[in-house]
Amino acid sequence: VCLTCCSRDVMVKVNHICHKNSVKFFAGDVFGYHGYMFADLGDHDFVEEKTKVPKASPGVEDGPDTKKARVDPSETTMVKKRLVFCPLKEALSVDWSGEKAAAALKRTAPDYFLLQ
């Protein structure tokens, strides 16, 4: 479900229904130069491709005579990952008075507060 140009209450209500039914939810809007986008993908499983890293042999010293393991840059491995997204209501109800919140405030874009 994708929403735009909706009130905060409508977005929270629709997101609650989507989250409860495991439906992916996106919301966003633009105000001149500022805008926001929110995504609630619920429990999201995905696969990430990683380049293989050579493992050093134990007991082998580094030096000019040491042979280093070579890895083909095209040699990759697939790593399964999972992200758990929070609902919009939870994302908007952050308590900004705590110590952790004060540290997070420095990394939070001012556009976050457009929804408030």
Side-chain angles (χ1 to χ4, degrees), residues 104-114:
L105 187 59
K106 293 176 184 174
R107 297 186 315 266
T108 303
D111 296 343
Y112 166 83
F113 298 99
L114 285 172

Side-chain angles (χ1 to χ4, degrees), residues 48-66:
E48 186 175 33
E49 191 175 16
K50 293 274 190 177
T51 305
K52 285 190 178 181
V53 178
K55 293 182 180 179
S57 303
V60 177
E61 296 179 14
D62 286 334
D65 297 329
T66 306

Side-chain angles (χ1 to χ4, degrees), residues 27-109:
D29 210 341
V30 177
F31 308 100
Y33 288 111
H34 298 279
Y36 68 89
M37 194 280 296
F38 178 82
D40 177 2
L41 305 180
D43 292 344
H44 183 65
D45 296 315
F46 63 99
V47 178
E48 186 175 33
E49 191 175 16
K50 293 274 190 177
T51 305
K52 285 190 178 181
V53 178
K55 293 182 180 179
S57 303
V60 177
E61 296 179 14
D62 286 334
D65 297 329
T66 306
K67 291 184 179 180
K68 301 207 178 202
R70 293 186 185 177
V71 174
D72 183 4
S74 64
E75 214 175 322
T76 60
T77 183
M78 302 303 254
V79 179
K80 187 175 180 180
K81 293 193 175 188
R82 167 175 266 202
L83 290 176
V84 179
F85 287 74
C86 71
L88 181 60
K89 185 175 184 177
E90 187 179 318
L92 293 175
S93 63
V94 174
D95 178 17
W96 292 102
S97 61
E99 281 185 33
K100 285 185 178 180
L105 187 59
K106 293 176 184 174
R107 297 186 315 266
T108 303

